[in-house]
Amino acid sequence: MRWKASDRSVEVVGRQERKRLATRKSIFDSAIHLFREKGYQATTVEEIAAKADVAKATFFKHFPKKYELIEEMIKQRRDKIELAAVDEQVGQLAIREQIRYLMIVLCQSIETDRALAIIALNEYLCSGEMLKDESPMIELFHQTLERGKRGGELRQDIPTRVVARMLWSYYLESYIAWSRDEQGQSLESMILEGVEVIFRGIEDAGA
Amino acid sequence: MRWKASDRSVEVVGRQERKRLATRKSIFDSAIHLFREKGYQATTVEEIAAKADVAKATFFKHFPKKYELIEEMIKQRRDKIELAAVDEQVGQLAIREQIRYLMIVLCQSIETDRALAIIALNEYLCSGEMLKDESPMIELFHQTLERGKRGGELRQDIPTRVVARMLWSYYLESYIAWSRDEQGQSLESMILEGVEVIFRGIEDAGA
């Protein structure tokens, strides 16, 4: 039985798993390198496999479709923000600051590598994934807003799902606008302006 | 000289132009009929030309690429909202009501033909058009908000471009969410909830 495996076999499985992850990482890193150099569409699976020094079959065992490399990039970005969302210190901030912080984390991974960020955006939009499933980021914003509502920092009548979808869509639209404009505003400042609007509203209270 | 053309030649040009527009409309209507019946991808240019009873070359004279039929659909929708935006009676409403009205007009053309609206959305997102140019709808929202700011209905410190981009992206995200959910909420009510949030903000003023 597996849970009675000897220390030695556990060690072997550990080694095999480490080897599997190292191969996966090598394929992923080679792909990223090539995407950055010549673009996603122009990079073939053969080239990625050659650069990572693995057989084509090995490539497909790890990434059944080339697009799964883009999914892996998106997943890594998402892991970072999910980690930030459960950070205890972040949890002690005001809700407005928590939302700002999550947005900053999202922007950082994009702004540090512009070329790659644009490739990922292009492929994500053209993949049709958006149409299939709601982004898990929406649920993350939703939970954060719900905590703010329970804590009395947000109005009790706000539809938190609507606001979560708004934060997400505004993030994506800013990402697109930023990708068009080489010399323009930083993505982070564009997005934080939007967060401000959502928190304060736009109506003149005196009007 | 053209501006001295006799009444007769003006009449001929008029007749030719009317004929050209009638052919274009016939191709467009045939395409829409086929898209609705079997989807965009499965419909060939040959089938559209056959249904409209024109040669393939005539099709391409009017729509050099199949995707231009989708652009025509989007353009027709845009024309409707642009017409609403310059309507004098609409211009007399409060800014909040003007934005709500523009959103309602946008939703109506989508909700009256769900199947077609989903086809147009799919093709628009996958076309990469979004990445090339900002939607003209953003400028339209922007101008409306600027009028509201000048009129003192909106706070003087709001970044109207940011809010215009937010309205647009929230509209698009709602359209996507609505396209996924057969039995769900109406698109109009989803969007109007968002407009409410943007106008009032989400913070508890007492907190």
Side-chain angles (χ1 to χ4, degrees), chain A residues 27 79 88 99 104 116 146 161 164 191 193 207:
Chain A
I27 295 169
D79 286 350
E88 252 186 68
I99 297 283
I104 290 169
L116 202 61
E146 273 295 309
R161 275 237 135 239
I191 291 184
E193 277 192 303

mmCIF file of all heavy atoms in Angstrom, chain A residues 27 79 88 99 104 116 146 161 164 191 193 207:
data_model
loop_
_atom_site.group_PDB
_atom_site.id
_atom_site.type_symbol
_atom_site.label_atom_id
_atom_site.label_comp_id
_atom_site.label_asym_id
_atom_site.label_seq_id
_atom_site.Cartn_x
_atom_site.Cartn_y
_atom_site.Cartn_z
ATOM 1 N N ILE A 27 11.535 23.367 -20.023
ATOM 2 C CA ILE A 27 10.723 23.585 -21.230
ATOM 3 C C ILE A 27 10.081 24.977 -21.162
ATOM 4 O O ILE A 27 10.128 25.749 -22.124
ATOM 5 C CB ILE A 27 9.624 22.497 -21.373
ATOM 6 C CG1 ILE A 27 10.247 21.130 -21.605
ATOM 7 C CG2 ILE A 27 8.659 22.856 -22.510
ATOM 8 C CD1 ILE A 27 9.269 19.965 -21.502
ATOM 9 N N ASP A 79 -0.895 33.010 -8.965
ATOM 10 C CA ASP A 79 -0.381 32.471 -7.699
ATOM 11 C C ASP A 79 0.174 33.594 -6.831
ATOM 12 O O ASP A 79 -0.032 33.610 -5.618
ATOM 13 C CB ASP A 79 0.735 31.442 -7.966
ATOM 14 C CG ASP A 79 0.176 30.123 -8.500
ATOM 15 O OD1 ASP A 79 -1.069 29.960 -8.483
ATOM 16 O OD2 ASP A 79 0.972 29.275 -8.957
ATOM 17 N N GLU A 88 -1.115 37.823 5.986
ATOM 18 C CA GLU A 88 -1.727 38.355 7.218
ATOM 19 C C GLU A 88 -1.580 39.869 7.347
ATOM 20 O O GLU A 88 -2.502 40.563 7.744
ATOM 21 C CB GLU A 88 -1.098 37.693 8.438
ATOM 22 C CG GLU A 88 -2.064 36.707 9.103
ATOM 23 C CD GLU A 88 -1.480 36.162 10.386
ATOM 24 O OE1 GLU A 88 -1.339 36.939 11.345
ATOM 25 O OE2 GLU A 88 -1.146 34.963 10.391
ATOM 26 N N ILE A 99 -7.218 46.346 -1.815
ATOM 27 C CA ILE A 99 -7.511 46.298 -3.248
ATOM 28 C C ILE A 99 -6.360 46.956 -4.025
ATOM 29 O O ILE A 99 -5.881 46.419 -5.027
ATOM 30 C CB ILE A 99 -8.846 47.011 -3.565
ATOM 31 C CG1 ILE A 99 -10.036 46.308 -2.882
ATOM 32 C CG2 ILE A 99 -9.069 47.140 -5.073
ATOM 33 C CD1 ILE A 99 -10.518 45.034 -3.532
ATOM 34 N N ILE A 104 -1.467 46.387 -7.395
ATOM 35 C CA ILE A 104 -0.036 46.664 -7.561
ATOM 36 C C ILE A 104 0.720 45.359 -7.848
ATOM 37 O O ILE A 104 1.568 45.299 -8.744
ATOM 38 C CB ILE A 104 0.525 47.406 -6.316
ATOM 39 C CG1 ILE A 104 -0.041 48.838 -6.279
ATOM 40 C CG2 ILE A 104 2.054 47.433 -6.323
ATOM 41 C CD1 ILE A 104 0.212 49.605 -4.989
ATOM 42 N N LEU A 116 6.861 40.282 -22.933
ATOM 43 C CA LEU A 116 6.205 39.026 -22.600
ATOM 44 C C LEU A 116 4.750 39.261 -22.170
ATOM 45 O O LEU A 116 3.857 38.480 -22.508
ATOM 46 C CB LEU A 116 6.991 38.357 -21.463
ATOM 47 C CG LEU A 116 6.784 36.864 -21.336
ATOM 48 C CD1 LEU A 116 7.241 36.155 -22.603
ATOM 49 C CD2 LEU A 116 7.555 36.332 -20.139
ATOM 50 N N GLU A 146 -16.267 41.620 0.201
ATOM 51 C CA GLU A 146 -17.228 41.114 1.190
ATOM 52 C C GLU A 146 -16.713 41.339 2.608
ATOM 53 O O GLU A 146 -17.480 41.697 3.502
ATOM 54 C CB GLU A 146 -17.488 39.607 0.957
ATOM 55 C CG GLU A 146 -18.595 39.326 -0.047
ATOM 56 C CD GLU A 146 -19.953 39.814 0.448
ATOM 57 O OE1 GLU A 146 -20.334 39.475 1.580
ATOM 58 O OE2 GLU A 146 -20.634 40.541 -0.309
ATOM 59 N N ARG A 161 -20.378 41.631 -6.088
ATOM 60 C CA ARG A 161 -20.026 40.890 -7.318
ATOM 61 C C ARG A 161 -19.859 41.857 -8.499
ATOM 62 O O ARG A 161 -18.978 41.696 -9.322
ATOM 63 C CB ARG A 161 -21.132 39.884 -7.706
ATOM 64 C CG ARG A 161 -21.040 38.579 -7.027
ATOM 65 C CD ARG A 161 -20.958 37.414 -8.070
ATOM 66 N NE ARG A 161 -19.938 36.496 -7.672
ATOM 67 C CZ ARG A 161 -18.884 36.178 -8.415
ATOM 68 N NH1 ARG A 161 -18.719 36.689 -9.617
ATOM 69 N NH2 ARG A 161 -17.992 35.340 -7.978
ATOM 70 N N ALA A 164 -16.616 43.651 -8.064
ATOM 71 C CA ALA A 164 -15.491 42.748 -8.350
ATOM 72 C C ALA A 164 -15.310 42.616 -9.862
ATOM 73 O O ALA A 164 -14.192 42.680 -10.376
ATOM 74 C CB ALA A 164 -15.744 41.380 -7.724
ATOM 75 N N ILE A 191 -4.291 52.112 -13.213
ATOM 76 C CA ILE A 191 -5.233 51.266 -12.484
ATOM 77 C C ILE A 191 -5.611 51.871 -11.139
ATOM 78 O O ILE A 191 -6.774 51.848 -10.735
ATOM 79 C CB ILE A 191 -4.656 49.841 -12.342
ATOM 80 C CG1 ILE A 191 -4.631 49.199 -13.738
ATOM 81 C CG2 ILE A 191 -5.488 49.007 -11.371
ATOM 82 C CD1 ILE A 191 -4.179 47.778 -13.772
ATOM 83 N N GLU A 193 -5.856 54.952 -10.371
ATOM 84 C CA GLU A 193 -6.837 56.028 -10.603
ATOM 85 C C GLU A 193 -8.257 55.454 -10.674
ATOM 86 O O GLU A 193 -9.208 56.062 -10.198
ATOM 87 C CB GLU A 193 -6.558 56.734 -11.944
ATOM 88 C CG GLU A 193 -5.498 57.805 -11.898
ATOM 89 C CD GLU A 193 -5.498 58.634 -13.186
ATOM 90 O OE1 GLU A 193 -5.347 58.040 -14.286
ATOM 91 O OE2 GLU A 193 -5.653 59.859 -13.107
ATOM 92 N N ALA A 207 -24.140 68.751 -5.713
ATOM 93 C CA ALA A 207 -24.942 69.086 -6.909
ATOM 94 C C ALA A 207 -26.415 68.746 -6.736
ATOM 95 O O ALA A 207 -26.764 67.836 -5.997
ATOM 96 C CB ALA A 207 -24.388 68.386 -8.142
#
